[in-house]
Amino acid sequence: MSNPKHTLFWMTLFLGVVVIVGALIHKPLISAFMANWVFNLLILGVLIIGIALTYRQVFVLFPELKWIAQFRTGHAGLSVVQEPKLLKPLARQLGEDATKDRFTLSTLSLRTVLDGIHSRMDEQREITRYFISLLVFLGLLGTFWGLLGTINSVGQVITGLDMSQEDFGKVFAELQEGLLTPLEGMGTAFSSSLLGLGGSLILGFLDIQAGHAQNRFYDGLEEWLTGVTNLVDRVDDEKDLS
């Protein structure tokens, strides 16, 4: 079966590149972050939690691979190995035969076991997909929040202008000063969009890599179970014929 360490390497390498790029443009990023640091801190927290969840999807495969390796040796010793979580339907299906590498599974039982394992993997990926959507939602929410403040500020500036004054230079100066607040609202809007969409792109790539690791694990498991089951069936058929 494929080793998930390769997936962890590419995920970590990608995050390293992101960190390096962020360090090179840290000044504008800090300015954008401080435009609305409370809202942007929430987006950053969601991103960190999402990254941890994608890594967890890969790390949970290691105990499963260890259990399979111990099982395929054909020796007792599964009791000292961590109980599998994804492969729990398979372990329950095998029962007392879990110390042997030769077992029989009907086509229906095999499909039921594989479907159960696949559904467990999908449940894990649904959480990270939710976090990806949540980052986009928070980015858009920050955008509308900033635009709402901008609209209100512009309205206050326009209604506060005294056009009866003859000194238009003073009127223009008041207008220029009054537009500073709406511009701050625009900064809030665009900074939240920048962090939200950027975070969703980062988390999306990591989710794809974690999904590839799970798919390779599932494909290898399916090939192993199908091959062993077919082999035992042929041996039993030969015994019946003899």
Side-chain angles (χ1 to χ4, degrees), residues 50-72:
I51 292 174
L53 290 175
T54 56
Y55 269 86
R56 179 181 177 274
Q57 291 181 17
V58 181
F59 278 118
V60 296
L61 298 179
F62 288 99
E64 313 300 315
L65 292 173
K66 185 177 180 180
W67 187 89
I68 293 175
Q70 180 65 29
F71 177 82
R72 298 187 70 175

Side-chain angles (χ1 to χ4, degrees), residues 51 80 82 104 123-124 126 138 141 143 168 174 184 212:
I51 292 174
V80 298
Q82 182 179 352
T104 57
E123 288 177 359
Q124 292 182 354
E126 286 177 359
L138 290 176
L141 183 62
T143 299
F168 289 101
E174 293 178 354
E184 292 178 357
H212 286 170

Side-chain angles (χ1 to χ4, degrees), residues 37-238:
W37 66 271
V38 176
F39 207 92
N40 293 333
L41 186 62
L42 176 61
I43 296 176
L44 184 61
V46 172
L47 175 61
I48 293 175
I49 295 174
I51 292 174
L53 290 175
T54 56
Y55 269 86
R56 179 181 177 274
Q57 291 181 17
V58 181
F59 278 118
V60 296
L61 298 179
F62 288 99
E64 313 300 315
L65 292 173
K66 185 177 180 180
W67 187 89
I68 293 175
Q70 180 65 29
F71 177 82
R72 298 187 70 175
T73 60
H75 302 291
L78 291 178
S79 58
V80 298
V81 181
Q82 182 179 352
E83 183 182 6
K85 296 181 180 179
L86 294 177
L87 300 180
K88 185 173 289 186
L90 176 62
R92 296 290 177 84
Q93 185 72 28
L94 296 180
E96 297 179 354
D97 295 333
T99 58
K100 303 177 183 179
D101 193 23
R102 296 175 64 84
F103 53 89
T104 57
L105 286 176
S106 64
T107 305
L108 180 60
S109 298
L110 178 61
R111 179 48 51 191
T112 301
V113 169
L114 291 177
D115 289 343
I117 296 172
H118 192 270
S119 64
R120 289 169 181 261
M121 292 182 177
D122 286 339
E123 288 177 359
Q124 292 182 354
R125 296 198 65 187
E126 286 177 359
I127 299 176
T128 55
R129 290 169 182 169
Y130 170 77
F131 272 82
I132 294 174
S133 302
L134 180 60
L135 286 172
V136 177
F137 170 77
L138 290 176
L140 293 177
L141 183 62
T143 299
F144 292 125
W145 183 272
L147 292 178
L148 180 62
T150 301
I151 294 173
N152 293 333
S153 299
V154 170
Q156 293 176 1
V157 171
I158 294 176
T159 55
L161 290 177
D162 186 8
M163 301 303 297
S164 63
Q165 299 182 16
E166 297 181 356
D167 189 358
F168 289 101
K170 185 177 180 181
V171 174
F172 181 78
E174 293 178 354
L175 177 63
Q176 185 179 19
E177 182 179 357
L179 289 177
L180 292 178
T181 301
L183 290 177
E184 292 178 357
M186 293 295 293
T188 301
F190 291 115
S191 66
S192 299
S193 299
L194 174 65
L195 293 178
L197 295 178
S200 65
L201 291 176
I202 295 173
L203 195 58
F205 177 83
L206 297 179
D207 179 67
I208 291 175
Q209 294 299 316
H212 286 170
Q214 289 184 339
N215 291 335
R216 288 191 291 267
F217 170 80
Y218 180 82
D219 293 340
L221 177 66
E222 185 177 21
E223 292 176 2
W224 169 56
L225 291 178
T226 303
V228 174
T229 302
N230 290 339
L231 176 62
V232 176
D233 289 342
R234 288 196 296 269
V235 173
D236 291 341
D237 292 342
E238 293 177 358

